[in-house]
Structures are given as structure tokens and as C-alpha cells.
């Protein structure tokens, strides 16, 4: 079975500071993809960043970057220069053979 | 605008009633999925379809059925709703499927909030 664990149910960060959200996963597969999705209060699911497991270089998307540790099966999300609009639920996900498995989410509050 | 349309947006339903949540995509994605979102549990896969004419069970399929008569539509049916099916339901699609690496991302609909009393 594949599982995704997000151990931080809720986090807070001051505006303009940096925050890291944790994610670990369990799979016996070697080829897979990892994702972070954002869900603001509007309920819409928005892709933040994607990482291919066969790539060693960490993905970066503007203020968002990941720290991918394949051996440790860890995939954390770093948000730099946090903005009020970053307030949302963040879900980590793993894609295996076309199926997508999600963690339980981390609620991030960005404080002014 | 290309994307996924879900209907209804919100529905209150009496226990024991039959309910179908509709999902339509116009991106010609081969794979489609139904998830339910519950507080503290994240998104759990109910059913999926890798291509028109085929469906498969996800993590929590009991009490739900799906069909995939064509590429665009993927309705989810609750034959006899129970209160534990109160949830937010998301339809999603992807250009990948079983047998291929999950290179493409999931595109989501806006969700359907279902309350079963």
C-alpha cells in the first residue's frame, strides 16, 4: 500500500518569512511523481509544484521549492517570503501508475 | 474555458435517497477520478477510470458506483445515501493512466458538497 504522511496539521508563519511543510511517503516503486497542491478557502485545488522521482535536482517554482530526499522518502515544501495569499491547506501527493495518493494536509496561516 | 465542471455545487440529501454527482471535462484527458475530502483525512480515492469503458476501485469504493460511457463524462452515484457519505467530492482528470508513469498532473473540478441527513 502507498501512504503519504503530513505530520503537521497546522502551522503559522509571519508575512515575509520562510516556512517549511513536511511530507513523507511510503512506496516500493522506483519511478513516481510527487506534488504539492494548495487549497485556499475557495476550495479549489491548485497545483503548486511537481517533482519527478528520477530527477535529483529539487524543483523550484518562484517562491516555492522542494527538498526531495528519495532515500528517506521525504518531500518537504519551502515557501519563501510568505504572503497573505499563501494562507491555505497544503496537500502532498504521490503519483504511482496513474493513481494519485494524498496526505491529510497542513493548514498554513500567514499572519500580517 | 477548458476544465472540469461538477454539478451540483452543493446538495442536502435525505438518507436512503439515490444521488448522482455529475462530472464533465473538455480537455480530452483519458483518466478521471473521484475523491472525497474529509477533515483530517485529506483526499481519498473512491473510483477511477483510465479510459472510456473501464473503471476501477480506489481506497473507499463501498456505497459508490461510477460509469465511463465516453471520454468526457464520469458520474458518481450513491445508490442509497448514508450520513457517513457527507463530504466534499472532487472530480479530477489526468492525461495519464495505469501502465504509464504519472507524468501529468491532476486537474480538479470545483467540488460538490454533499450533506446526508
Amino acid at each position: 500500500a502507498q501512504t503519504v504522511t503530513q505530520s503537521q496539521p497546522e502551522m503559522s508563519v509571519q508575512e515575509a518569512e520562510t516556512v517549511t511543510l513536511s511530507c513523507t511517503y511510503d512506496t516500493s516503486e522506483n519511478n513516481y511523481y510527487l506534488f504539492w497542491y494548495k487549497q485556499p478557502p475557495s476550495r479549489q485545488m491548485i497545483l503548486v509544484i511537481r517533482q519527478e522521482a528520477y530527477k535529483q535536482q529539487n524543483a523550484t517554482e518562484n517562491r516555492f521549492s522542494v527538498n526531495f530526499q528519495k532515500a528517506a522518502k521525504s518531500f518537504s515544501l519551502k515557501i519563501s517570503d510568505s504572503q497573505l495569499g499563501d494562507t491555505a491547506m497544503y496537500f502532498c501527493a504521490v503519483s504511482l501508475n496513474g493513481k494519485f495518493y494524498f496526505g491529510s494536509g497542513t493548514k498554513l496561516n500567514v499572519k500580517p | 474555458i477548458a476544465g472540469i465542471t461538477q454539478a451540483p455545487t452543493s446538495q442536502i440529501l435525505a438518507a436512503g435517497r439515490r444521488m448522482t454527482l455529475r462530472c464533465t471535462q473538455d480537455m480530452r484527458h483519458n483518466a478521471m477520478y473521484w475523491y472525497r475530502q474529509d477533515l483530517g483525512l485529506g483526499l481519498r480515492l473512491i473510483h477511477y477510470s483510465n479510459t472510456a469503458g473501464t473503471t476501477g476501485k480506489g481506497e473507499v469504493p463501498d456505497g459508490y458506483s461510477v460509469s465511463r460511457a465516453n471520454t468526457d463524462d464520469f458520474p458518481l452515484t450513491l445508490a442509497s445515501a448514508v450520513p457517513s457519505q457527507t463530504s466534499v467530492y472532487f472530480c479530477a482528470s489526468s492525461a495519464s493512466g495505469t501502465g504509464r508513469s504519472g507524468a501529468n498532473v491532476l486537474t480538479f473540478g470545483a467540488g460538490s458538497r454533499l450533506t446526508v441527513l
Side-chain angles (χ1 to χ4, degrees), chain B residues 16-99:
Chain B
R17 298 299 295 267
R18 181 184 180 89
M19 177 71 193
T20 295
L21 303 180
R22 301 184 297 277
C23 175
T24 300
Q25 55 111 351
D26 61 2
M27 298 170 286
R28 308 304 293 174
H29 284 171
N30 58 299
M32 297 187 74
Y33 311 82
W34 274 105
Y35 288 88
R36 59 177 289 174
Q37 182 180 9
D38 302 289
L39 189 64
L41 297 175
L43 283 81
R44 293 179 292 169
L45 181 64
I46 304 170
H47 285 287
Y48 66 95
S49 169
N50 291 325
T51 189
T54 68
T55 62
K57 294 181 179 180
E59 302 166 86
V60 288
D62 294 343
Y64 305 95
S65 63
V66 293
S67 62
R68 187 89 183 275
N70 56 61
T71 297
D72 299 341
D73 300 301
F74 191 45
L76 176 73
T77 297
L78 290 67
S80 179
V82 295
S84 63
Q85 292 178 310
T86 293
S87 188
V88 177
Y89 291 86
F90 284 96
C91 180
S93 70
S94 168
S96 63
T98 297

Side-chain angles (χ1 to χ4, degrees), chain B residues 101-114:
Chain B
S101 60
N104 296 88
V105 301
L106 275 180
T107 299
F108 284 88
S112 296
R113 180 178 295 277
L114 182 65

Side-chain angles (χ1 to χ4, degrees), chain A residues 2 31 33 35 37 39 42-47 50 89 91 95-105, chain B residues 9 33 35 37 40-43 48 88 90 97-98 100-106 108-113:
Chain A
Q2 284 71 227
N31 295 319
Y33 292 77
F35 308 84
Y37 279 86
Q39 186 182 41
S42 66
R43 197 169 75 188
Q44 184 66 45
M45 293 288 288
I46 302 166
L47 177 68
R50 182 181 75 174
M89 282 289 289
F91 293 98
S95 171
L96 296 161
N97 294 320
K99 292 184 188 178
F100 296 75
Y101 300 90
F102 287 81
S104 56
Chain B
T9 301
Y33 311 82
Y35 288 88
Q37 182 180 9
L41 297 175
L43 283 81
Y48 66 95
V88 177
F90 284 96
T98 297
R100 299 172 56 187
S101 60
N104 296 88
V105 301
L106 275 180
F108 284 88
S112 296
R113 180 178 295 277

